[in-house]
Amino acid sequence: KNSQVKVLCLGFIAIDQCNKSVPRKTASLEVSATKLLCSGLLTSSVDFNCADERIPKMCTLSVEWPAINEGYAYTDSIKGRKGGAGLTILEFYNSRHSPSGDSDTWQQRISQGQVQLNRVTETDGTKQLRPADVLTYTRAPWQEPQAPNYLHIIYEDADMVVLDKPAGLQVLPGAAFHQRTVLGLLRMCYKSGEGRQAPVPVHRLGRGTSGLLLCAISPLARTTLSSVMTHATELMSCKDVGGGGDSAQKALSMRGQQLPAGGVRKVYRALVQGILQATEGKVDVPIGLAPCPGLEGGLYVAKPDGGKHAHSEWKVLRVMHPCENHSGQTLVEVVIYTGRPHQIRIHMASIGHPLVGDPLYAPGGVPKMNDEGGQTCNTGTVAKIGDCGYFLRAHKLKIYHPTDAKRLLVFEAPPCPPYSV
C-alpha cells in the first residue's frame, strides 16, 4: 500500500517553424501511488516542467512489486456429470487440475483446509460432488517470477488508455502470475475512490509480445471496445466470406486499407527465421487446440482439420542475410483480422518461418520437440506455453473512439531494438 510510483515524462527533440531546434526538456517526478497523478491527470494540465506543447510526451508508470502476492482463490462450478458431478473432491482435482499437482499433493491441500465446498471448508477428499456444487481452492501467497514493473502511456482520456507494454509482462492474471501483470500494475496505480476506475485491458498480448495495448476506463468504453474486438474476429470467421452476403462484405472490407465504422485494425512487426521468397502474402491456416502433455486444455496449433478460421497478411520490411550469427532473418509487418491465440506465431511458423527466438513453435505451426522426442509444452526443463524470447511487437492500432464513432484514432508504438522491431 505504501509502494511508490514513479511518473516519468520524457520530452523529445522538436523543430519549430524556423527550423531551430527546441531544447529537449525532461522531468522526473516521484509521487505516492495514492495521488491523482497516477490517475486521470497523466495527460492533463499538471505541470511536469514540460511546458512546450510542441514537444510530445510519453509517461511511464512503475511500481515496486511486493515480495509475495496475496494468494488466490480458484473456483469451479459443478455442472452435471460431465462437469464433475458424481466424482469425489479428490477425483475432481486429479482429473481436472492434474498439471497443478499429483494425487498426494491435492490430498494434502484438502487435508490442510485449503478447499471449500459451497463456502464451507471440507477436509474429506472422498466426499461426492453434486450438480450446482461450488469448489474453491485457496492457494497460499507465493513469490511470482520476475516481470517488468513499468508501463508506458501512449494516450489517455476519460474513456480509454493506450499502453506500450514491455515484453515479459503478462496482461491478465493466470498461472504463476496473479499480481505481476498489466492489470495488477494498473490497479496499484489507479486507486479506487480517487475519481476514476482502473483501466481494464480489452484484448490480450502474449507475455513475450511488446507494444500497443488498448484499455478501457469508462463502463461504456469497456462494453464498446470489447464488442469491437470480438466482432472483428466473428466477421472474419463467417462461413460466407467470399461467397456474398452482408457479413462477407463487412469482413472483406476489413481486409482493405479503409477501416469500417466500428472496426479495428492491428498491425504487428515480427522478426522471423529465414528469408521469405515473396515480398508479401496471406495465411488462412485454421487454428485449434491439440492435446499436449502436462498442459491442461491443450495447446493452440495450426489445425487445418477442425480448427477455427484465422486470417493474417504479411509483407517484408527488411531482410537480414545470413552471417555468422544466423542463417538469415526477415523483418515482416503482419496484419491480423482474427484474434486467435498465438496467431502470428502459429501462422508464420505454418509457412516455414517461425519467429526468431520462439521457444514453442516449429515450422508447420506445431510444438517443437525436445531431445527425447517429447513436445515442448510439457512440464519440466523444456519450453512451455507463456515462455518469452521471440521478437513480436504490436506496432500500430487504428480504432474509432468508443464514445465518438466519427473520431478515428491511429496509434504507433515507439521503435525498439533490435532491427526496430
Side-chain angles (χ1 to χ4, degrees), residues 210 268-271 317-318 320 331-333 391-395 412-421:
S210 68
Y268 294 75
R269 285 188 176 181
L271 189 64
L317 297 179
R318 180 181 174 187
M320 277 66 77
L331 179 64
V332 296
E333 180 178 275
F391 293 92
L392 180 61
R393 184 159 176 76
H395 179 60
E412 182 170 332
C416 66
Y419 312 124
S420 297
V421 173

Side-chain angles (χ1 to χ4, degrees), residues 270-276 316-332 348 353-358 389 391 418-419 421:
L271 189 64
V272 302
Q273 301 173 28
I275 299 176
L276 287 89
V316 172
L317 297 179
R318 180 181 174 187
V319 174
M320 277 66 77
H321 293 283
C323 65
E324 60 181 9
N325 295 325
H326 58 76
S327 58
Q329 298 173 352
T330 306
L331 179 64
V332 296
M348 296 311 297
H353 297 276
L355 270 61
V356 171
D358 195 327
F391 293 92
Y419 312 124
V421 173

Side-chain angles (χ1 to χ4, degrees), residues 202-226:
V202 295
H203 65 109
R204 299 195 188 201
L205 295 178
R207 187 162 69 90
T209 304
S210 68
L212 299 177
L213 179 68
L214 182 61
C215 303
I217 296 178
S218 67
L220 176 59
R222 186 173 182 177
T223 300
T224 303
L225 294 175
S226 297

Side-chain angles (χ1 to χ4, degrees), residues 355-368:
L355 270 61
V356 171
D358 195 327
L360 191 60
Y361 291 104
V366 297
K368 287 183 176 179

Side-chain angles (χ1 to χ4, degrees), residues 162-222:
V162 178
L163 304 172
D164 182 4
K165 182 189 86 71
L169 183 61
Q170 189 161 298
V171 175
L172 299 177
F177 296 93
H178 279 273
Q179 191 171 51
R180 299 183 179 188
T181 63
V182 171
L183 183 61
L185 193 152
L186 290 172
R187 285 175 173 173
M188 291 175 69
C189 292
Y190 293 72
K191 292 294 185 179
S192 60
E194 292 188 345
R196 294 220 285 184
Q197 297 294 319
V200 178
V202 295
H203 65 109
R204 299 195 188 201
L205 295 178
R207 187 162 69 90
T209 304
S210 68
L212 299 177
L213 179 68
L214 182 61
C215 303
I217 296 178
S218 67
L220 176 59
R222 186 173 182 177

Side-chain angles (χ1 to χ4, degrees), residues 300-348:
Y300 284 95
V301 298
K303 197 172 184 181
D305 298 324
K308 291 185 177 181
H309 174 71
H311 180 80
S312 305
E313 297 180 2
W314 57 267
K315 68 177 181 180
V316 172
L317 297 179
R318 180 181 174 187
V319 174
M320 277 66 77
H321 293 283
C323 65
E324 60 181 9
N325 295 325
H326 58 76
S327 58
Q329 298 173 352
T330 306
L331 179 64
V332 296
E333 180 178 275
V334 185
V335 181
I336 61 173
Y337 298 91
T338 49
R340 307 302 178 197
H342 310 301
Q343 179 170 324
I344 293 176
R345 297 168 66 186
I346 294 172
H347 270 182
M348 296 311 297

